[in-house]
Amino acid sequence: MAQIRPFRAYRPLPAKAAAVACRPYDVLSAAEAKAEAAGNPDSFYYSIKPEIAFSADHDPYAPEIYAAGKTHFDHLVEEGTLIREATPCLYVYRLIMDGRSQTGLVAAASVADYFNGTIKIHEYTRPDKEEDRKNHVRFSGLNYEPVFFSYPTEPSVGASISKTMESEPVSDHLADDGIQHTIWKIDSPEAIAEITRLFAENVPFTYVADGHHRTAAAALVGREKELANPNHTGDEPYNYFMAVHFPDDELKIFDYNRVVKDLNGHSKADLMAALSHDFEVEEKGTSPFRPEVPYQISMYLDGKWYALNAKPGTFDASNPIGALDVTVFSEQIMKPIFNIVDQRTDKRIDFVGGIRGLGELQKRVDSGEMAVAFALYPVSMAQLMAVADAGMVMPPKSTWFEPKLRSGLLVYSLIEG
């Protein structure tokens, strides 16, 4: 069963929450984050993406980058923008986007659960990004950002969490993208005991929904600290990391799309001929076309959109991985036609979250930066959990969750708990 426990969070003063909170580190480029943080010295981008305070040609993985992130965090604490909770607490984090709400339990998740499989994953991580996040944790001793978990909906847990939402929130703000972020504190020992008990008794597994790199980084640094501590007991704060746990029936997965730098030496005619082996190719014109059904992939090439409809027999709908549109894309297009075997490490491919819209795909191709773009039909939560339950992993960047958590609203210390 899943282990969770309360922790003493750092959090912004209510009046400062909107100024501190920012999008997760991996949603924006450094240039975009720098633009968003301009004129706002409280922005948590200076902690999670501290390279924005350096010149564009500065090595983003240099030690001084990570040190600058911790310096910014310390400054926010020293000036009183961030305060430290007096006692260990749980938190409730609700997000509202376009009238749809999702409500999660913020708690410290167990490093042991990550290694024993109680916390289930559905993606491999990219080594460079994993090392980057590990260095942030090593330099700071903090989880700057929570990871985004899901669990099979459990009414008793939901009912207990709902009780706490009758009190005044400790943080409530409308972000510039129109998403409402509200956080309640659970500091009653009785309520904490009830929720942790219900979670332990009724939630057999949790699932990494968004944040595989941060999850791996937190767990691996925790393991490093365990091995370096001859007096390790298992109760130290580094044995846990911060996660927001959402019931699976409240989550929505958007498409996660791809852009590719070149056609792997193919002409347009050669590419179309290669695609026609496994797909029925249908031209859709110049207006953006989004996949409408499973096993239909949208492609933008040379100013036009196309529907690529997978032919029968080219996918295995009975297999948790084979049933995914992203698998069809990887196995029938990326590997044989583009010679992109490992999407985690190949620099010829990039990923674009569906929330940015198909216009972003078109823009990157029309600019000449990329040669072709593909939009995929989104994965469902049932598919995600089936893959994780089977001990399998999806192709990289298969899911894009919205709304995103805001960083800086809660911070966990691996040193102080």
Side-chain angles (χ1 to χ4, degrees), residues 126 256-259 329 343-346 349-353 356 361 364 370 395-398 400:
R126 291 175 59 168
Y256 210 155
N257 303 318
R258 273 72 168 154
V259 286
F329 171 76
Q343 295 181 45
R344 294 181 305 142
T345 59
D346 199 306
I349 189 170
D350 198 9
F351 307 89
V352 181
R356 292 191 170 224
L361 300 180
R364 294 186 69 174
M370 296 291 179
K397 303 298 184 182
S398 298
W400 182 277

Side-chain angles (χ1 to χ4, degrees), residues 103-158:
T103 303
L105 174 68
V106 190
S110 167
V111 168
D113 281 356
Y114 177 81
F115 288 108
N116 68 28
T118 300
I119 296 171
K120 297 191 177 189
I121 64 171
H122 65 267
E123 289 184 8
Y124 287 133
T125 54
R126 291 175 59 168
D128 56 339
K129 291 183 65 176
E130 184 179 294
E131 189 65 20
D132 173 48
R133 289 303 106 183
K134 285 165 67 176
N135 281 334
H136 271 287
V137 179
R138 288 170 179 145
F139 270 75
S140 68
L142 301 165
N143 294 151
Y144 287 136
E145 304 176 276
V147 290
F148 189 139
F149 281 9
S150 184
Y151 64 93
T153 298
E154 170 51 48
S156 65
V157 174

Side-chain angles (χ1 to χ4, degrees), residues 103-414:
T103 303
L105 174 68
V106 190
S110 167
V111 168
D113 281 356
Y114 177 81
F115 288 108
N116 68 28
T118 300
I119 296 171
K120 297 191 177 189
I121 64 171
H122 65 267
E123 289 184 8
Y124 287 133
T125 54
R126 291 175 59 168
D128 56 339
K129 291 183 65 176
E130 184 179 294
E131 189 65 20
D132 173 48
R133 289 303 106 183
K134 285 165 67 176
N135 281 334
H136 271 287
V137 179
R138 288 170 179 145
F139 270 75
S140 68
L142 301 165
N143 294 151
Y144 287 136
E145 304 176 276
V147 290
F148 189 139
F149 281 9
S150 184
Y151 64 93
T153 298
E154 170 51 48
S156 65
V157 174
S160 188
I161 290 173
S162 294
K163 295 177 188 176
T164 70
M165 298 169 65
E166 298 170 1
S167 62
E168 285 294 315
V170 296
S171 174
D172 187 19
H173 79 281
L174 182 67
D176 52 9
D177 55 6
I179 298 172
Q180 191 80 32
H181 299 261
T182 310
I183 294 177
W184 290 265
K185 179 173 68 174
I186 306 173
D187 56 2
S188 159
E190 294 77 17
I192 291 173
E194 177 187 28
I195 292 173
T196 54
R197 176 185 63 80
L198 290 171
F199 211 84
E201 291 177 353
N202 297 290
V203 179
F205 303 102
T206 57
Y207 299 80
V208 181
D210 196 7
H212 281 79
H213 292 93
R214 280 166 283 168
T215 301
L220 290 168
V221 173
R223 179 59 55 87
E224 288 176 3
K225 290 183 176 295
E226 172 188 343
L227 296 174
N229 183 4
N231 300 312
H232 173 80
T233 66
D235 193 51
E236 296 88 353
Y238 59 70
N239 293 289
Y240 294 83
F241 59 96
M242 182 172 55
V244 188
H245 304 76
F246 292 96
D248 67 300
D249 63 354
E250 293 188 8
L251 300 183
K252 180 177 180 179
I253 304 176
F254 287 71
D255 45 311
Y256 210 155
N257 303 318
R258 273 72 168 154
V259 286
V260 183
K261 288 182 180 295
D262 59 72
L263 302 186
N264 193 33
H266 297 298
S267 67
K268 179 180 177 180
D270 290 340
L271 175 61
M272 291 299 189
L275 288 169
S276 66
H277 181 267
D278 290 324
F279 299 88
E280 298 289 347
V281 181
E282 179 184 358
E283 185 177 324
K284 289 293 186 178
T286 58
S287 298
F289 173 74
R290 185 179 301 279
E292 298 171 336
V293 293
Y295 310 120
Q296 181 181 72
I297 296 169
S298 175
M299 180 178 74
Y300 182 68
L301 174 68
D302 197 23
K304 291 184 179 179
W305 290 86
Y306 299 85
L308 311 179
N309 299 289
K311 295 178 180 179
T314 60
F315 55 88
D316 182 5
S318 66
N319 181 287
I321 291 292
L324 302 175
D325 286 66
V326 68
T327 300
V328 175
F329 171 76
S330 298
E331 297 299 322
Q332 310 303 335
I333 298 177
M334 283 295 96
K335 291 181 181 179
I337 299 177
F338 286 85
N339 194 32
I340 294 178
V341 177
D342 188 348
Q343 295 181 45
R344 294 181 305 142
T345 59
D346 199 306
K347 301 302 183 183
R348 296 167 52 220
I349 189 170
D350 198 9
F351 307 89
V352 181
I355 195 68
R356 292 191 170 224
L358 300 184
E360 179 68 13
L361 300 180
Q362 190 165 318
K363 172 186 172 183
R364 294 186 69 174
V365 173
D366 288 346
S367 70
E369 176 197 1
M370 296 291 179
V372 62
F374 298 92
L376 309 180
Y377 194 79
V379 172
S380 69
M381 276 301 299
Q383 287 178 315
L384 183 154
M385 296 170 79
V387 167
D389 288 342
M392 299 177 174
V393 292
M394 297 181 186
K397 303 298 184 182
S398 298
T399 57
W400 182 277
F401 285 87
E402 286 288 349
K404 297 284 187 187
L405 306 174
R406 286 269 160 158
S407 300
L409 293 176
L410 295 167
V411 178
Y412 176 78
S413 172
L414 279 71

Side-chain angles (χ1 to χ4, degrees), residues 54-68:
F54 292 74
S55 63
D57 61 352
H58 200 101
D59 179 5
Y61 306 120
E64 58 268 24
I65 296 290
Y66 304 108

